[in-house]
Each structure stands twice: as structure tokens, then as C-alpha cells.
DNA sequence: CGTGCATTTTTTGTATACAAGGAGGTTGAC
DNA sequence: GTCAACCTCCTTGTATACAAAAAATGCACG
């Protein structure tokens, strides 16, 4: 499918930006990166443009590309949108979800429960991701599922963080169960509210983390 | 701001794809287009990649790029998402909108009314666009406003179409007034419902147009 | 006459070479 | 001594040249 060097490079750079290897504001030097990847500037430039369109880097004409980590304000905005989109997915899915998908959700939740028992936040996140993607898909709207998935991906590192807060795992777990209950009942508004709250609380927790990090830095 | 040839070319191509100059499935030849623009393949390729990321063309590795007009199903999906996003904008805006913005909405509506009286669908669409963008902005969420605007832009040619249906202009007008009333009252749910319905009806009208075109072609 | 393989040709992907614009330093004037 | 203008170097943007892969064509064989 994607056998172009440029795409592989874009993927790698995206990962590095998300995991913080390149801090905010860092200039990404074309020639140096090209060397390090063992390619010429051409595919590297294509990769950078791809990143620019995803919003991960800013491209100042004739000046270079700079890593552009979303600030606190933008992050909260993104979490708000994420909450709303998941909410919409849930509302639509409530009327369209199949029995098989409900079983899948149960299975994912069972795995989540195991992870909670094992206090394994990473494993929890993995299954949590599966859980959410099932709902996106069951919205019955491929375009919505894709867009929601894209935003989910972009917020991934930040969503993960807040799971490490004490007591968050069991709380998230119970929210998941409420969501499934609403979906099983075919109650659109309830599913919408439950999902919106579920994601909104993630934003809140994350905000709290940010504030703590900031005050710790001072 | 954007003084790169590649960006200008991307813009031009985007327009041509949207207005149907290049039909669905058309292969976009790099060398021919490069010649026609009087540039080399490099900036042209960058433009094509940009379009690929916006979803306007599909890029088969080692095979070329092809215009990819959204099919009826995908279009309806996009309209559904559009309706939901506008709805969210409206709900948020109801609690955040300023008096100045309300005045702007009134002004835009006044212009719309003039266009209705003049039976000028183009003028109507112009002011209609302004109307909606004010609401996006007043959602108070820059990220949401940007994403909603992007989708609006993509659906633009299809939104325009349905305005030419008989009786649609006055109907749309009255919907606008309901929306402003809900926003002025600070009634989030009402604004959300009004906006969702307003956009959803566009999707419906558009679907009707599609069906008619299709049957006419047979 | 049709089909399958090989060759040729076209086209994409990548590398390199060239041009243009900006950033920073140095020098000269006030 | 300081400010400004000019010059130089470095980086980005663009063009061209090269390589590899896929499509097309022709030839041979069944």
C-alpha cells in the first residue's frame, strides 16, 4: 500500500513528534534529516509537507518547518471536539449497532477489566482504543469514523497520560459499562451523553496534569 | 503567506476538481499538468500530494493520481457529519456568542433576505456562507471552527446546488431566523437542533437532486 | 487466430544540480 | 561607539537528470 519512502519517513517523524523526541519549536532541518534517513531531500520534503497538512509542523515559506506542539488552549479545544464527535458516534451507533459489535464491545471491556485488575495502564489503553474504534465504526458513517479516528490518533499521547492518574482506571471502566448499556438499550441520547462525559473527563484530567506539570516547573 | 507555486497550483487544481473540470476517475498526468502550468514536476507533485491528503484525489503508488469525486453514499455521510458539526457549533455558540456577533448574523440575514427577494441564489449563498462562518467562530473553539470550515468548503459545490430548488431559498431563510432566535435566547439545544435540521435538509434536497439527475441520465 | 512472454516505452519515485530569498555578520559612516 | 547598509553564506524552492517499476506493444508459439 504505502511503499513510498516519503510515507515511511512521514510516519516515523510523526511518531517522533508525538512522543516528544522533537520538542515544540524545533526546526526540522531538511538536509540533516535527509542524511539521517539516508535519502535525498525530495522524499523528505514530501514527508514534511504531509506533516504540515496534519498540523504537526508549521511551514514558514522560505524559513523552514518547525515542530508545532498544540498549546494548552488548543489541546482543550481538541478534547472538546473529540468529546462531541464521540458523542455523535455514540448517538448514531445506538440506532445502528449490531449484536456482533455489542459482543465485541463486551469482549474489549472484559480485557479492560483484566488490565484494571493488573493495574496495567498500557494494556488498558490498548483495549480502550479498540473499544472506541468499534463505536466509531458502528456509527454506520464511514466518513465520521475516519475523521473521529484521525482526531483520536492525534490526541493519543495525551489521552494516555491521564490514565495514569490514581483511580482513573476503575472510573473509566465504569463509564465504559454505562456506554455499552446505553448502546444496548438503543438509547441514543444516553449514549451520546455518556460518551461526551467520558471524553470530557479525560480532557479535565489532562488539564489537571498540565497545571501540575506547569506549577512543578516553576 | 503562501507564495509557493505548489500551493497556488494545489488551489487551482482543487477548484477544477470541485467544479467538475476533471471528472471522476480522471488520471492527472504529472508532466502534462506541469507543462500546462509552466513549472517542473516537483511543485506539481507537491500539489498533488496536498490534494491526496484532502481526499480529493487518490494516489496509487507507482500508478498515478486519480480524481476521486465522492460517491452518493460518501456525500450523504459527509452531509450527516456536517449537520452534526454545525449543530455542535450552534450549541456551544449559544452560550458564548457576543452581542456584536448576533448583530453580524442579523446583518448577514438581512443581505440574505435581499437575495431571496431578488431570486439571486448566488448572492444568497455568499451571505449564507458568511452566516455559517460566524457561528463556527462564535463556538469559541478555534479548532472546531477550523475543522467545520474545512468540511463546509469541501461540500460547498454540493450545498450550492440545492439552493436552486424551487422554494428552497425562503425555507432556508426562515431556518436562519430560527437559528438566530435560538442563539439570541442562549438556548443551546434549540440552536443545535435548528442547525442540524438546517443542514440535514440540505443533504436531503441534495439527495433528491442526485436521484433526479441519475434517473434523467438513464 | 489467440495467448503468453519478452521487450520497449511510458510514468512514477528519487537524487542531484541550480536559483532565489532571507538571516547574520562585517564594515563603513556618522 | 552605535547604527545602518551591504555582502556573504545558508536554507529553501524549483528544475533537471537518473532509476525503477508498471503498462503497452509486438513477436513467437500453440
Amino acid at each position: 500500500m504505502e511503499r513510498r519512502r516519503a510515507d515511511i519517513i512521514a510516519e516515523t517523524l510523526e511518531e517522533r513528534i508525538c512522543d516528544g523526541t522533537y520538542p515544540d519549536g524545533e526546526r526540522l532541518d531538511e538536509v540533516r534529516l535527509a542524511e539521517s534517513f539516508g535519502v535525498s531531500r525530495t522524499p523528505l520534503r514530501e514527508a514534511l509537507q504531509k506533516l504540515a497538512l496534519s498540523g504537526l509542523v508549521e511551514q514558514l515559506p522560505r524559513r523552514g518547518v518547525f515542530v508545532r506542539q498544540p498549546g494548552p488552549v488548543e489541546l482543550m479545544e481538541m478534547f472538546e471536539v473529540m468529546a462531541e464527535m464521540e458523542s455523535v458516534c455514540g448517538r448514531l451507533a445506538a440506532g445502528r449497532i449490531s449484536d456482533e459489535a455489542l459482543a465485541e464491545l463486551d469482549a474489549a471491556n472484559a480485557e479492560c477489566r483484566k488490565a484494571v485488575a493488573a493495574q496495567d495502564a498500557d494494556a488498558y489503553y490498548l483495549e480502550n482504543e479498540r473499544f472506541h474504534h468499534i463505536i466509531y465504526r458502528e456509527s454506520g458513517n464511514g466518513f465520521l469514523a475516519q475523521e473521529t479516528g484521525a482526531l483520536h490518533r492525534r490526541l493519543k499521547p495525551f489521552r494516555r497520560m491521564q490514565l495514569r492518574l490514581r483511580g482513573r482506571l476503575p472510573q473509566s471502566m465504569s463509564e465504559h459499562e454505562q456506554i455499552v448499556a446505553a448502546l444496548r438499550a438503543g438509547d441514543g441520547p444516553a449514549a451520546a451523553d455518556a460518551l461526551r462525559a467520558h471524553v470530557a473527563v479525560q480532557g479535565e484530567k489532562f488539564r489537571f496534569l498540565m497545571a501540575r506539570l506547569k506549577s512543578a516547573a516553576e
Side-chain angles (χ1 to χ4, degrees), chain A:
Chain A
M1 176 143 181
E2 51 165 86
R3 289 267 57 104
R4 276 184 313 246
R5 304 262 229 173
D7 288 323
I8 298 168
I9 292 170
E11 215 173 298
T12 309
L13 288 178
E14 181 180 334
E15 227 173 304
R16 287 194 196 164
I17 291 171
C18 283
D19 72 15
T21 303
Y22 299 130
D24 186 42
E26 173 114 337
R27 192 173 79 84
L28 297 180
D29 190 297
E30 290 182 3
V31 291
R32 264 226 301 247
L33 281 175
E35 269 174 29
S36 83
F37 278 103
V39 299
S40 85
R41 278 177 55 218
T42 311
L44 200 121
R45 275 179 62 82
E46 293 187 354
L48 288 179
Q49 295 202 326
K50 199 168 171 175
L51 296 181
L53 288 175
S54 340
L56 282 119
V57 300
E58 195 170 7
Q59 197 168 26
L60 286 316
R62 294 272 179 201
R63 302 204 36 192
V65 311
F66 300 84
V67 175
R68 192 182 159 295
Q69 298 282 13
V73 173
E74 192 176 353
L75 267 173
M76 292 316 294
E77 288 183 352
M78 289 166 82
F79 265 109
E80 188 171 62
V81 174
M82 185 85 242
E84 294 295 343
M85 290 182 76
E86 296 235 9
S87 172
V88 170
C89 286
R91 184 154 46 75
L92 295 177
R96 300 173 178 176
I97 195 167
S98 69
D99 285 339
E100 290 77 22
L102 280 170
E104 281 186 75
L105 287 176
D106 284 332
N109 263 350
E111 290 300 317
C112 280
R113 223 170 285 127
K114 278 190 208 166
V116 172
Q119 301 263 9
D120 187 342
D122 285 327
Y124 184 85
Y125 187 80
L126 212 75
E127 288 303 320
N128 172 68
E129 199 170 8
R130 221 160 69 86
F131 178 86
H132 283 276
H133 275 92
I134 293 168
I135 296 175
Y136 304 162
R137 166 164 50 85
E138 293 300 312
S139 73
N141 185 320
F143 181 72
L144 176 61
Q146 190 172 324
E147 296 287 306
T148 309
L151 184 53
H152 183 118
R153 187 153 174 242
R154 206 158 149 202
L155 285 175
K156 192 170 168 175
F158 308 105
R159 282 181 98 152
R160 285 189 88 130
M161 260 186 188
Q162 49 90 31
L163 281 178
R164 290 194 160 70
L165 276 173
R166 187 178 137 64
R168 179 71 190 116
L169 249 53
Q171 185 189 357
S172 173
M173 191 67 237
S174 99
E175 288 162 5
H176 275 206
E177 275 155 10
Q178 279 185 299
I179 291 164
V180 176
L183 288 175
R184 181 163 276 124
D187 187 341
D193 287 342
L195 267 161
R196 185 186 297 119
H198 176 58
V199 180
V201 84
Q202 292 177 10
E204 286 305 313
K205 294 285 180 189
F206 177 74
R207 177 187 212 148
F208 170 73
L209 271 178
M210 287 279 294
R212 203 166 63 175
L213 280 176
K214 188 162 188 176
S215 64
E218 283 166 1

